[in-house]
Amino acid sequence: MSFLDRLGREWLFFDGGTGTILQENGLKAGELPEIWNLTHPEDIIALHQGYFEAGSDVVVTNTFGANALKYPDNLREIVEAAIAHAKEARRRAGREDAYVALDLGPTGKLLQPMGDLPFEKAVELFGEVVRIGASAGVDLVMIETMSDSYEAKAAVLAAKENCDLPVCITMIFDDKGKLLTGGTVDSTVALLEGLRVDALGVNCGLGPEQMVPIIRRLTEVCSLPIIVNPNAGLPRSEGGRTVFDVDADKFAALMAQIAEMGVHVLGGCCGTTPAHIRQMIAACADKPFQPPVRKHRAVVSSFSQAVEIGGRTVIIGERINPTGKSKFKAALREDNIEYILSEGLAQEDSGAHILDVNVGLPEIDEPVMMERVVTRLQSVLALPLQIDTSNMAAMERGMRLYNGKPMVNSVSGKRESMEAVFPLVRKYGGVVVGLALDEDGIPETAEGRVAIAKRIYETAAQYGIPREDIVIDGLAMTISSDSRSALVTLETLRRIRDELHGSTILGVSNISFGLPQREIINANFFTMALQNGLSCAIINPNAEAMMRAYRAFLALSAQDEQCAGFIAAYGNQPPAAMTQSAGQDSAMTLAECIERGLRERATEATAAALRETEPLALVNSELIPALDRVGKGFEAGTLFLPQLLMSAEAAKAAFEVVKDAMRGVPQEQKGKIILATVKGDIHDIGKNIVKVLLENYGYQVLDLGKDVAPEVIVDTAIEQQVRLVGLSALMTTTVVSMEDTIRLLREKKPDTKVVVGGAVLTKDYAESIGADRYARDAMATVHYADEVFA
């Protein structure tokens, strides 16, 4: 039977750790595990054979770090050897019923705009490995240990575009249920289900006990088979060896409890051995199996937020659209992205849940502009986006580069439209707006519009797009030309809700076109539409009359418990203040520009402020406090990594203006700090994030790069008289190099402090290898540096 024939229908079991076992077999600190495919073939075969004989149904190849960045000259040789070894192990174990999975791990780099790796380059890197693996005969692709949803999307697209094999993926969440870049279980599941992976789940970083809250949420929101591959507990160091605190017996008992939670595929990660897997299978194989259950949730997501459609009405901000907006048209023509970002931020502040993005003008390159606006918007705000265009090239570009599961506006009942849009939704995922019109135009009756909605549902199903991912636009037509048009629209909303059990959307303000005092009509029609089941409202959230109508309706319909939202919005606001919201033209202070990550505006605001304020006073009164507020928001979980980095970039731009104003004036730096990713590890995401923040807080950073030998770090510390060294590692196999570096520093420069961080580390582990401080995130490193150099 094929893997897909069994997936979700019976228990399937993965293998366990690779790097930790290779270390036991002699893999040296900093030595690359994938090289052993060429230099130690029998060890690799024995490793896989042990798991096959333990009962694993799926064994992953020793290719976790195999990509052209790491192996530019011999990638094919390494990957083909890895697959050959796994197949040979399967043959020796007599397990022809089992499967060989091509293992894809992260590149170790942050993707643009946060980092320097272009999205399409990441797709190309993963795609090359997938093509080699598919031609060598693997049974499926296993993407694992992904801490960034954007890189996960690149890997999934690479797999889908370069082979027709099943694709599974597991992400690495922290103990707060967040990805490194801020993603939640809900937002990640929405993205991956939209991309139509075959199974998804969690691995690494945590042991079985620590994963339980994440697994519980997965079972609540995920409709696909769920994979759980924990570490053997948390790591610690004993005698220079990395060991884990959960033995095979305890692991099996914990996994038996997890098996009862409604998951479908079980295995292990760092620290687990064939003994762990064997006993886990014995404890779980006879448990009742619960097949996946479709949750029928319509979710639009960004990299960090998920908005579910079908409960409380969702507000979609309409201001990023050139229709009737001369300033916005000018911004598009002049490539004024900052103006567009400010429109988005103003709508976020006013209470929008999703932002509509329409950048179509005849005289601009719409696909290029869509790419720029979507990626820049996602770098400064966390709201999901609605990609709004009739240009199919722009739609695909926006959907491809979007970090999450977007809303897509729109498809109509015209066959040509459905044949163009539905394949894109099928490939990239999305909640698509279905316009209740077809080749004959807009029906004058609700009956005609409902009939088109049914046809859209039926055609979408042929593409594998479920009904919940279709939101029907009942079409608000102005009452200035047809006095009954509002009644037809309202009846359409009601029938879609009551007869088809579907979701609806309206561009609310269309109802008043051509009339004076349009806001009066808009606000009252909005309330009527809400009463008739409107699921999503495209409105101007900066218009206070619209938001008053919305918040009042929620309170009156018992959707705002104890009127908490209404009181929060208006409890401290006198009646005279309840007028038009501030909107995009209000001036931002320098601190606000930094907090919002607006680099160009920060530069302009700094130059303006320096005309009245001394440079150092400006730094102390605006720049540093703004960075501190952003840092506190990041630590509290209200801001996420992309926003943190964009704020840091804005602050950096402001500092450059300040430095220009202080040329010739001695400038004090807090101190020198060495940063390095340790020997054998090419993953420099964490290090680069820390570097940006330290530099913004006034430290001189000596960045030694990645795969840095202990001797180089120590020699640099001695030569430069450095008082603090920051070390980073992602992989269990490279933490030993971290310990070696610390030991050498203690011998040759004992006055230097060491702060460490990385996905595989814990506070206890950091202490056990002699580090002075464990930093769970970038801001923790800044705080420790402030202590050291106080």
Side-chain angles (χ1 to χ4, degrees):
M1 293 177 68
S2 72
F3 175 76
L4 287 182
D5 287 335
R6 300 173 63 187
L7 180 65
R9 295 177 174 86
E10 61 179 272
W11 287 114
L12 288 174
F13 299 100
F14 268 76
D15 57 4
T18 296
T20 44
I21 291 181
L22 294 183
Q23 283 180 317
E24 292 292 325
N25 292 341
L27 181 73
K28 297 187 176 74
E31 190 176 3
L32 302 178
E34 296 82 17
I35 288 293
W36 273 40
N37 293 321
L38 306 180
T39 60
H40 297 71
E42 285 300 322
D43 288 290
I44 301 301
I45 292 170
L47 166 71
H48 296 323
Q49 186 175 344
Y51 284 122
F52 279 126
E53 291 176 346
S56 295
D57 299 299
V58 183
V59 165
V60 299
T61 57
N62 181 34
T63 53
F64 177 83
N67 59 63
L69 293 177
K70 196 171 182 179
Y71 300 103
D73 301 320
N74 58 350
L75 178 64
R76 177 174 291 276
E77 182 183 13
I78 286 171
V79 174
E80 288 180 341
I83 295 167
H85 299 333
K87 287 183 171 183
E88 174 61 16
R90 179 172 62 183
R91 186 193 66 79
R92 293 184 186 181
R95 288 295 311 281
E96 294 307 318
D97 62 327
Y99 310 98
V100 171
L102 177 68
D103 193 21
L104 293 182
T107 62
K109 289 185 170 293
L110 270 177
L111 274 61
Q112 293 176 348
M114 289 189 292
D116 58 2
L117 182 64
F119 180 84
E120 295 296 356
K121 179 62 177 177
V123 175
E124 178 186 328
L125 289 167
F126 289 122
E128 183 178 6
V129 181
V130 170
R131 288 192 298 274
I132 296 170
S135 65
V138 295
D139 301 300
L140 64 143
V141 176
M142 181 65 204
I143 304 164
E144 64 165 318
T145 322
M146 286 289 170
S147 59
D148 175 12
S149 60
Y150 206 30
E151 186 173 27
K153 179 173 182 175
V156 171
L157 286 178
K160 295 277 189 178
E161 292 173 351
N162 289 279
C163 74
D164 58 1
L165 298 170
V167 178
C168 301
I169 183 168
T170 51
M171 310 293 291
I172 178 170
F173 293 90
D174 63 19
D175 56 2
K176 295 180 180 178
K178 296 288 183 66
L179 302 179
L180 171 69
T181 49
T184 64
V185 170
D186 288 46
S187 66
T188 305
V189 167
L191 165 69
L192 296 175
E193 287 189 344
L195 291 170
R196 287 167 174 74
V197 299
D198 295 293
L200 61 86
V202 58
N203 81 295
C204 205
L206 302 171
E209 287 180 287
Q210 295 80 20
M211 278 188 181
V212 165
I214 299 166
I215 297 166
R216 184 175 296 116
R217 188 58 184 164
L218 277 170
T219 61
E220 290 169 352
V221 300
C222 182
S223 298
L224 299 175
I226 295 170
I227 305 170
V228 179
N229 292 338
N231 289 345
L234 301 176
R236 66 181 189 278
S237 180
E238 283 187 1
R241 295 170 55 248
T242 300
V243 298
F244 290 79
D245 60 6
V246 174
D247 62 19
D249 289 335
K250 185 176 180 182
F251 186 81
L254 292 169
M255 294 301 281
Q257 296 174 22
I258 288 172
E260 296 174 353
M261 295 176 66
V263 302
H264 312 96
V265 184
L266 299 171
C269 199
C270 300
T272 57
T273 66
H276 285 79
I277 300 303
R278 181 179 294 107
Q279 292 186 223
M280 175 192 74
I281 294 172
C284 298
D286 292 331
K287 294 278 185 184
F289 183 81
Q290 306 171 47
V293 176
R294 184 151 197 89
K295 304 303 188 296
H296 299 291
R297 300 172 74 242
V299 179
V300 182
S301 70
S302 67
F303 67 90
S304 65
Q305 291 189 13
V307 174
E308 185 171 1
I309 296 169
R312 178 182 293 192
T313 302
V314 171
I315 301 298
I316 301 175
E318 68 179 8
R319 298 294 300 169
I320 303 178
N321 189 317
T323 304
K325 303 179 185 72
S326 58
K327 287 186 179 181
F328 195 90
K329 290 178 181 178
L332 288 175
R333 294 187 185 105
E334 296 164 9
D335 200 27
N336 185 356
I337 302 297
E338 291 276 309
Y339 177 87
I340 299 171
L341 299 183
S342 68
E343 287 280 6
L345 291 166
Q347 292 179 98
E348 181 180 43
D349 289 345
S350 295
H353 306 119
I354 298 172
L355 298 184
D356 182 78
V357 179
N358 185 313
V359 294
L361 282 180
E363 61 268 40
I364 69 169
D365 187 331
E366 188 176 351
V368 171
M369 183 59 73
M370 181 66 78
E371 173 180 334
R372 291 199 62 204
V373 171
V374 165
T375 54
R376 285 297 305 276
L377 277 169
Q378 289 206 292
S379 72
V380 300
L381 51 78
L383 293 185
L385 304 180
Q386 174 173 268
I387 296 170
D388 182 359
T389 179
S390 58
N391 182 315
M392 289 301 102
M395 182 179 287
E396 177 161 22
R397 199 69 194 140
M399 294 177 73
R400 185 175 181 86
L401 294 175
Y402 182 75
N403 188 358
K405 180 184 177 184
M407 206 158 184
V408 181
N409 192 3
S410 57
V411 69
S412 72
K414 297 178 181 179
R415 181 146 301 278
E416 179 184 13
S417 174
M418 292 188 284
E419 289 176 350
V421 174
F422 284 151
L424 297 181
V425 178
R426 165 78 185 172
K427 179 175 182 178
Y428 298 111
V431 173
V432 62
V433 174
L435 304 178
L437 61 86
D438 60 12
E439 288 83 357
D440 296 324
I442 301 173
E444 295 182 358
T445 65
E447 181 69 32
R449 298 181 192 186
V450 170
I452 293 174
K454 291 178 180 178
R455 189 158 69 248
I456 291 173
Y457 286 143
E458 291 165 0
T459 307
Q462 296 170 15
Y463 288 87
I465 300 168
R467 176 174 295 215
E468 58 263 26
D469 279 346
I470 304 292
V471 181
I472 298 298
D473 190 336
L475 301 174
M477 310 300 293
T478 180
I479 58 172
S480 64
S481 59
D482 179 358
S483 60
R484 291 189 55 80
S485 65
L487 298 177
V488 173
T489 299
L490 295 173
E491 183 185 351
T492 303
L493 298 182
R494 186 170 59 253
R495 292 186 61 180
I496 295 292
R497 178 193 64 187
D498 296 342
E499 297 175 17
L500 305 185
H501 308 294
S503 298
T504 53
I505 186 170
L506 286 179
V508 176
S509 62
N510 293 338
I511 203 71
S512 64
F513 186 78
L515 294 175
Q517 298 293 321
R518 295 181 63 188
E519 197 170 72
I520 298 173
I521 295 291
N522 293 345
N524 284 279
F525 175 67
F526 186 22
T527 301
M528 295 170 74
L530 291 170
Q531 184 65 39
N532 283 274
L534 182 64
S535 307
C536 305
I538 304 175
I539 66 170
N540 176 9
N542 300 330
E544 187 56 44
M546 300 298 284
M547 295 307 292
R548 287 204 303 268
Y550 175 66
R551 294 184 178 115
F553 177 81
L554 294 180
L556 291 166
S557 60
Q559 297 183 68
D560 182 8
E561 191 171 346
Q562 297 180 330
C563 302
F566 187 87
I567 293 169
Y570 304 120
N572 297 316
Q573 192 179 91
M578 294 175 65
T579 57
Q580 182 80 9
S581 296
Q584 75 279 0
D585 290 326
S586 58
M588 281 188 181
T589 65
L590 171 58
E592 288 172 331
C593 293
I594 290 171
E595 291 176 50
R596 294 309 188 97
L598 299 176
R599 182 185 177 94
E600 289 82 358
R601 284 202 174 191
T603 300
E604 296 168 1
T606 304
L610 285 171
R611 290 194 284 269
E612 300 178 359
T613 308
E614 290 297 317
L616 287 178
L618 187 65
V619 169
N620 292 326
S621 65
E622 294 269 359
L623 271 68
I624 295 300
L627 278 174
D628 286 341
R629 286 192 291 273
V630 172
K632 289 175 182 176
F634 175 71
E635 292 171 331
T638 57
L639 291 176
F640 304 102
L641 184 62
Q643 294 147 303
L644 178 71
L645 291 180
M646 291 302 105
S647 294
E649 287 298 318
K652 183 177 179 180
F655 274 119
E656 290 301 317
V657 178
V658 171
K659 287 178 183 177
D660 287 341
M662 294 178 63
R663 291 201 183 280
V665 179
Q667 297 180 39
E668 180 182 354
Q669 284 194 319
K670 293 181 179 178
K672 293 179 184 177
I673 299 174
I674 287 174
L675 293 181
T677 301
V678 297
K679 184 173 177 59
D681 204 319
I682 66 162
H683 300 85
D684 58 1
I685 291 176
K687 171 183 67 63
N688 291 342
I689 294 167
V690 171
K691 177 183 177 182
V692 170
L693 293 183
L694 285 172
E695 288 179 338
N696 275 283
Y697 276 85
Y699 292 100
Q700 180 184 353
V701 176
L702 305 177
D703 183 359
L704 302 185
K706 57 195 176 187
D707 190 18
V708 185
E711 295 77 12
V712 173
I713 297 169
V714 173
D715 290 347
T716 305
I718 295 171
E719 179 184 332
Q720 297 289 329
Q721 287 300 298
V722 174
R723 292 168 54 190
L724 177 61
V725 171
L727 302 177
S728 175
L730 175 72
M731 301 185 297
T732 306
T733 54
T734 60
V735 177
V736 179
S737 295
M738 187 178 281
E739 187 173 6
D740 291 343
T741 303
I742 294 171
R743 187 182 302 112
L744 194 59
L745 272 169
R746 296 290 181 251
E747 292 174 6
K748 297 195 173 184
K749 199 173 186 304
D751 61 326
T752 294
K753 300 293 184 182
V754 181
V755 56
V756 298
V760 296
L761 295 178
T762 64
K763 184 176 183 293
D764 291 342
Y765 191 98
E767 291 174 353
S768 72
I769 62 175
D772 296 290
R773 183 66 59 89
Y774 163 65
R776 62 173 294 123
D777 55 43
M779 284 306 303
T781 306
V782 172
H783 295 326
Y784 184 59
D786 288 343
E787 288 181 28
V788 172
F789 290 95

